[in-house]
């Protein structure tokens, strides 16, 4: 009979009991329930359900009384690392040790909840989990934030670090320090966080933890004795990581008796409850029924629910200073949940927290609905998805061929691909994406143009709006500071690749006997599409790459139009460096020749700079029946 009982959550049990009792009460003439279980067995089952409900409620009250955890017993920390160094696997083991999930072989990427994360095997969205752990007779609340490792999602890492006092820096015992390891270290170092180095994958055949310890000591000036050797996959020595988190990472620093001051560092959108805001409390306390105010827009909200993530949402009575959790306060408009906002009690206003630096888009692309009748649905999907990913910038745009749409700014090409995939999977939206471009700048020389734009230097994100040379004194292109870490046997090939992309070498340092770190100043346009693929190919997959913004510098740029039978196609306009214009134009014409369906008439595909044709491909006539 107990096989008829549904999954024992509070909502399921209540609904099942109510529905079944109603059927039993109002359908006495039918023999369905009598044949299935009889009245006596049926009432016994309902009684068993009530017992399960009571047990569940008592467990919640007993486990989630947050006032038990004073500030001195709270630790807020993140896991940071290069791609595929084992962050999510380590998070799985920590969840198992602290009893948040059962120990099972199926526990893989538990905190990677998005479909795109499981398909690609990477972390895209930072996730929070509150862990309860007893150490030396004291109960501790450990708030863990698992962060992405790819350079395109570094904004997720920087936001997560604002809610922490320390980090676990995970390094692969086989691959050693990689480019993103260095970048993440300096993010944590600049935020003045305690760094605990963890050497993972010591169970691998070619693991060399001693070599990695030397690298960490040389690169980051962290003593070798501070490194923890673990195998997150097998669970080897993982519990010592929790011990070091408690003993080495300090508790949150708070002002005594201060009113509520909460940092909104992340948010998601729920179709039924509105905005679910992830907050870190730097002072005071918040509970259901409080009236809170957003420092960003000045609006007041009534708190409907507060809770913690374990990693599932679990409501609690109250959140206290130093803790990390979520709050639902009836924010219906996605624009109301501004990342970096400060929340405070209406009767006790406070000074706003510093917030975050706004993300700087590095890649732009046009997005249009396949069918213009889907415009409003796509607009709603974009608003909800950008709430979950605030590093995406959105501006209205239109095209003669594709209709109304948007021009979106992303942190990189992978970021663009993942965003597009999430639109399809989570919102069932089909879109047309234009070719990615980077933002250029132009210094205007015409007073008429300066008066029209209201400034002397303009930013161009749409190639179709690239101004003519006659109105410009100089063009500026974005540059990046690239960091490449590779075995020394590939130095020659990597230097040749960087030179072919107009790179300028800034430094080269050996981090151990066989690995070298090179820094290059590179044009963003040269690396955004296929540079990483080329680097991985020529280094047999051993090289790693990371980049950061390095401002703008003058460049000889030209606007290239693509013509089909003499007619320019606005969506195919490209900005290229003058030295590479012919190569780029030739490549585009060849690809279009392969892509456009054959017709009953000849099609001329041309690339032109002004009135000068620099490349051409001709599609021959296709006769019917052949």
């Amino acid at each position: 009979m107990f096989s008829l009982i549904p999954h024992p959550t509070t909502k399921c049990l209540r609904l099942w009991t109510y529905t079944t009792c109603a059927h039993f009460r109002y359908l006495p003439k039918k023999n369905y329930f009598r044949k299935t279980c009889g009245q006596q067995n049926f009432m016994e089952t309902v009684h068993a359900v009530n017992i399960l409900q009571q047990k569940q409620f008592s467990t919640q009250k007993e486990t989630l009384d947050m006032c038990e955890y004073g500030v001195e017993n709270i630790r807020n920390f993140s896991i940071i690392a290069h791609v595929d160094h084992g962050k999510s696997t380590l998070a799985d083991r920590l969840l198992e040790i602290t009893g948040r999930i059962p120990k099972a072989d199926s526990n893989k990427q538990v905190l990677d909840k998005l479909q795109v994360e499981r398909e690609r095997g990477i972390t895209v969205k930072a996730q929070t989990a509150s862990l309860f752990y007893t150490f030396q007779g004291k109960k501790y609340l450990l708030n863990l934030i698992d962060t992405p490792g790819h350079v395109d999602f570094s904004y997720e890492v920087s936001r997560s670090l604002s809610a922490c006092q320390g980090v676990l820096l995970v390094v692969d015992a086989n691959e050693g320090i990689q480019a993103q390891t260095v970048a993440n270290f300096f993010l944590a170092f600049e935020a003045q966080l305690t760094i605990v180095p963890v050497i993972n994958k010591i169970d691998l055949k070619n693991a060399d933890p001693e070599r990695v310890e030397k690298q960490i000591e040389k690169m980051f000036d962290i003593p070798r004795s501070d490194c923890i050797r673990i195998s997150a996959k097998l669970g080897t020595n993982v519990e010592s990581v929790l011990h070091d988190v408690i003993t080495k990472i300090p508790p949150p620093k708070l002002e005594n008796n201060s009113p509520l001051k909460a940092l909104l560092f992340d948010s998601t959108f729920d179709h039924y409850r509105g905005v679910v805001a992830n907050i870190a409390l730097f002072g005071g306390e918040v509970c259901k029924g409080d009236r809170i105010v957003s420092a960003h827009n000045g609006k007041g909200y009534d708190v409907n629910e507060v809770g913690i993530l374990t990693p599932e949402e679990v409501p609690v009575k109250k959140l206290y200073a130093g803790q990390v959790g979520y709050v639902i306060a009836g924010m219906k408009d996605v624009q109301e949940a501004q990342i970096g906002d400060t929340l405070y009690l209406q009767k006790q206003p406070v000074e706003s927290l510093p917030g975050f630096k706004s993300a700087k888009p590095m890649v732009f692309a046009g997005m249009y609905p396949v069918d213009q009748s889907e415009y409003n649905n796509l607009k709603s999907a974009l608003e909800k998805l950008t709430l979950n990913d605030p590093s995406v910038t959105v501006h209205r745009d239109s095209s003669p061929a594709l209709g109304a749409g948007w021009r979106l700014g992303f942190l990189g090409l992978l970021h663009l691909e993942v965003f597009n995939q999430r639109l399809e999977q989570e919102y069932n939206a089909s879109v047309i994406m234009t070719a990615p471009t980077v933002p250029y700048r132009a210094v205007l020389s015409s007073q008429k143009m300066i008066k029209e734009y209201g400034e002397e230097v303009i930013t161009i994100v749409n190639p179709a709006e690239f101004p003519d040379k006659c109105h410009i004194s100089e063009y500026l292109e974005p540059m990046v500071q690239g960091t490449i870490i590779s075995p020394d046997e590939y130095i020659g090939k990597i230097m040749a690749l960087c030179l072919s992309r107009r790179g300028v070498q800034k430094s080269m340092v050996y981090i151990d006997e066989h690995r070298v770190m090179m820094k290059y100043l590179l044009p963003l346009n040269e690396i955004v599409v296929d540079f990483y693929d080329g680097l991985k190919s020529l280094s047999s997959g051993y090289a790693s790459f990371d980049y950061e913004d390095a401002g703008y510098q003058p460049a000889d740029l030209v606007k290239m139009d693509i013509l089909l039978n003499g007619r320019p196609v606005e969506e195919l306009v490209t900005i290229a460096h003058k030295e590479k214009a012919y190569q780029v134009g030739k490549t585009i014409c060849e690809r279009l020749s392969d892509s456009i369906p054959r017709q009953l008439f000849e099609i001329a595909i041309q690339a032109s700079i002004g009135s000068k044709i620099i490349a051409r491909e001709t599609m021959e006539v296709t006769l019917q029946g052949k």
Side-chain angles (χ1 to χ4, degrees):
M1 182 58 219
F2 283 92
S3 61
L4 296 174
I5 298 176
H7 188 272
T9 62
T10 306
K11 190 179 288 185
C12 288
L13 290 169
R14 276 180 170 174
L15 183 61
W16 186 87
T17 307
Y18 176 84
T19 307
T20 311
C21 285
H23 275 288
F24 193 82
R25 191 162 53 246
Y26 293 118
L27 300 176
K29 295 181 181 179
K30 299 213 172 181
N31 294 323
Y32 175 76
F33 288 104
R34 299 180 187 277
K35 289 180 180 179
T36 304
C37 56
Q39 179 156 348
Q40 184 177 355
N41 288 339
F42 170 75
M43 296 312 297
E44 289 175 0
T45 304
V46 173
H47 179 65
V49 169
N50 291 332
I51 292 174
L52 281 173
Q53 284 183 326
Q54 292 170 7
K55 283 185 177 180
Q56 187 183 34
F57 276 117
S58 63
T59 304
Q60 285 188 358
K61 289 178 182 177
E62 185 180 45
T63 308
L64 301 178
D65 189 2
M66 303 306 290
C67 67
E68 293 182 11
Y69 303 94
V71 175
E72 66 280 358
N73 292 345
I74 297 174
R75 302 291 184 270
N76 301 322
F77 67 101
S78 286
I79 304 179
I80 59 175
H82 187 78
V83 179
D84 200 31
H85 278 205
K87 298 180 303 300
S88 297
T89 309
L90 176 57
D92 293 342
R93 299 293 84 77
L94 295 178
L95 288 168
E96 287 179 357
I97 290 173
T98 54
R100 305 324 303 167
I101 58 175
K103 292 186 178 181
D105 295 334
S106 59
N107 286 337
K108 294 179 181 179
Q109 293 179 271
V110 173
L111 292 181
D112 292 345
K113 300 176 183 178
L114 301 177
Q115 184 180 342
V116 64
E117 292 178 317
R118 293 185 172 274
E119 288 177 357
R120 291 176 177 261
I122 60 173
T123 302
V124 169
K125 180 77 175 164
Q127 296 290 348
T128 306
S130 295
L131 316 177
F132 303 97
Y133 187 70
T134 303
F135 178 66
Q136 294 180 351
K138 293 183 179 179
K139 291 183 179 180
Y140 287 89
L141 171 62
L142 312 177
N143 294 308
L144 156 70
I145 303 178
D146 181 28
T147 63
H150 197 279
V151 59
D152 283 11
F153 304 101
S154 57
Y155 188 62
E156 287 281 328
V157 180
S158 63
R159 287 193 292 110
S160 301
L161 297 185
S162 65
C164 299
Q165 285 73 51
V167 297
L168 298 177
L169 181 65
V170 180
V171 186
D172 192 314
N174 184 26
E175 296 182 1
I177 289 176
Q178 301 289 294
Q180 195 61 27
T181 312
V182 179
N184 283 332
F185 169 81
F186 283 109
L187 278 176
F189 185 76
E190 289 169 6
Q192 299 181 343
L193 304 182
T194 302
I195 298 169
V196 179
V198 177
I199 299 175
N200 191 21
K201 302 186 181 181
I202 60 172
D203 57 302
L204 295 180
K205 182 180 179 181
N206 297 323
D208 190 353
E210 290 187 6
R211 173 177 62 87
V212 178
E213 285 176 353
K214 291 178 182 177
Q215 290 180 3
I216 291 172
E217 190 171 45
K218 183 176 181 179
M219 285 292 297
F220 305 141
D221 198 25
I222 298 176
R224 296 174 60 183
S225 57
D226 289 355
C227 298
I228 310 170
R229 299 184 184 184
I230 69 164
S231 169
K233 183 178 180 181
L234 303 179
T236 308
N237 206 29
V238 172
E239 195 143 3
S240 61
V241 174
L242 287 174
H243 298 168
D244 274 30
V245 165
I246 292 170
T247 56
K248 293 182 178 179
I249 295 177
K253 293 181 180 179
L254 306 170
E255 300 176 7
N256 292 329
N257 302 319
S258 62
L260 174 66
K261 185 188 284 188
L263 174 68
L264 197 162
F265 67 91
D266 202 357
S267 58
T268 55
F269 186 82
D270 187 283
H271 290 282
Y272 303 102
R273 300 179 296 169
V275 176
V276 181
N278 289 6
I279 58 172
L281 273 68
F282 286 86
E285 54 191 46
V286 61
C287 65
K288 182 178 178 180
D290 283 347
R291 181 73 176 175
I292 60 172
V293 177
S294 161
H296 169 68
N297 56 30
K299 289 185 178 180
Y301 304 95
D302 292 318
V303 177
N304 300 324
E305 183 181 314
V306 295
I308 60 172
L309 298 162
T310 66
E312 301 301 323
E313 292 178 3
V314 178
V316 297
K317 288 183 177 180
K318 189 178 289 189
L319 286 176
Y320 298 87
Q323 298 176 359
V324 174
Y326 71 89
V327 61
I328 301 173
M331 295 181 183
K332 300 300 182 185
D333 187 354
V334 294
Q335 302 300 327
E336 295 177 36
Q338 183 73 25
I339 300 299
D341 194 6
T342 301
L343 303 177
Y344 57 88
L345 294 176
Q346 189 173 40
K347 296 180 180 178
Q348 296 175 302
V350 296
E351 186 178 347
S352 298
L353 293 162
F356 312 113
K357 292 180 181 177
S358 58
K360 185 177 288 186
M362 307 292 272
V363 177
F364 287 84
M367 176 181 285
Y368 303 89
V370 175
D371 186 346
Q372 280 295 312
S373 63
E374 293 294 318
Y375 179 86
N376 289 330
N377 292 337
L378 182 57
K379 180 183 177 182
S380 176
L382 271 177
E383 288 176 348
K384 292 167 185 174
L385 192 52
T386 50
L387 174 72
N388 297 343
D389 189 354
S391 55
V392 178
T393 60
V394 182
H395 299 285
R396 291 279 300 274
D397 198 7
S398 62
S399 161
L402 301 175
W406 300 267
R407 183 149 293 266
L408 307 181
F410 302 93
L411 301 181
L413 203 62
L414 178 64
H415 189 198
L416 185 155
E417 292 175 5
V418 166
F419 188 88
N420 192 16
Q421 192 171 340
R422 288 186 67 185
L423 267 180
E424 293 178 0
Q425 292 176 348
E426 298 175 30
Y427 297 95
N428 197 27
S430 297
V431 298
I432 298 171
M433 296 288 290
T434 63
T437 61
V438 301
Y440 295 98
R441 287 181 180 173
V443 182
L444 302 176
S445 58
S446 166
Q447 290 299 321
K448 182 180 178 182
M449 295 282 285
I450 293 174
K451 187 175 180 180
E452 181 182 337
Y453 285 100
E455 52 189 351
E456 188 177 351
V457 180
I458 61 171
T459 301
I460 306 133
V461 297
N462 188 345
E465 299 172 358
F466 200 69
D468 293 334
K469 183 70 176 175
C470 59
H471 302 300
I472 302 299
S473 59
E474 68 176 351
Y475 294 115
L476 305 172
E477 68 176 344
M479 306 296 291
V480 294
Q481 181 82 34
T483 302
I484 302 170
I485 296 180
S486 168
D488 55 5
E489 59 191 279
Y490 302 109
I491 290 178
K493 294 180 180 179
I494 292 173
M495 292 176 71
L497 174 66
C498 293
L499 285 173
S500 70
R501 302 301 178 97
R502 300 188 286 127
V504 178
Q505 190 180 81
K506 292 298 183 181
S507 66
M508 185 169 70
V509 179
Y510 276 85
I511 60 176
D512 63 15
E513 293 83 358
H514 303 291
R515 296 180 71 81
V516 64
M517 181 173 71
M518 294 178 280
K519 289 188 178 292
Y520 273 86
L521 187 66
L522 293 155
L524 178 60
N525 188 40
E526 297 285 350
I527 67 165
V528 74
V529 178
D530 59 352
F531 178 82
Y532 188 68
D533 293 338
L535 180 67
K536 283 291 185 181
S537 298
L538 61 85
S539 65
S540 302
Y542 287 109
S544 61
F545 178 65
D546 176 72
Y547 64 86
E548 58 185 15
D549 182 31
Y552 285 76
Q553 74 175 27
D556 192 2
L557 303 173
V558 292
K559 177 184 177 182
M560 185 190 308
D561 291 304
I562 303 298
L563 312 177
L564 296 181
N565 279 351
R567 294 183 178 181
V569 181
E570 183 181 311
E571 288 71 29
L572 298 177
V573 175
T574 306
I575 299 172
H577 194 272
K578 194 171 183 179
E579 293 178 1
K580 294 197 166 187
Y582 169 75
Q583 180 184 342
V584 172
K586 184 72 175 173
T587 302
I588 292 175
C589 289
E590 288 175 350
R591 291 183 65 182
L592 284 174
S593 178
D594 294 335
S595 303
I596 297 175
R598 293 294 184 265
Q599 304 294 328
L600 296 177
F601 52 89
E602 188 178 272
I603 299 177
I605 305 169
Q606 299 168 308
S608 70
I609 299 174
S611 59
K612 182 180 179 181
I613 304 297
I614 61 169
R616 172 178 174 136
E617 289 288 323
T618 304
M619 289 178 58
E620 301 295 338
V621 175
T622 300
L623 299 177
Q624 286 184 335
K626 292 190 178 181

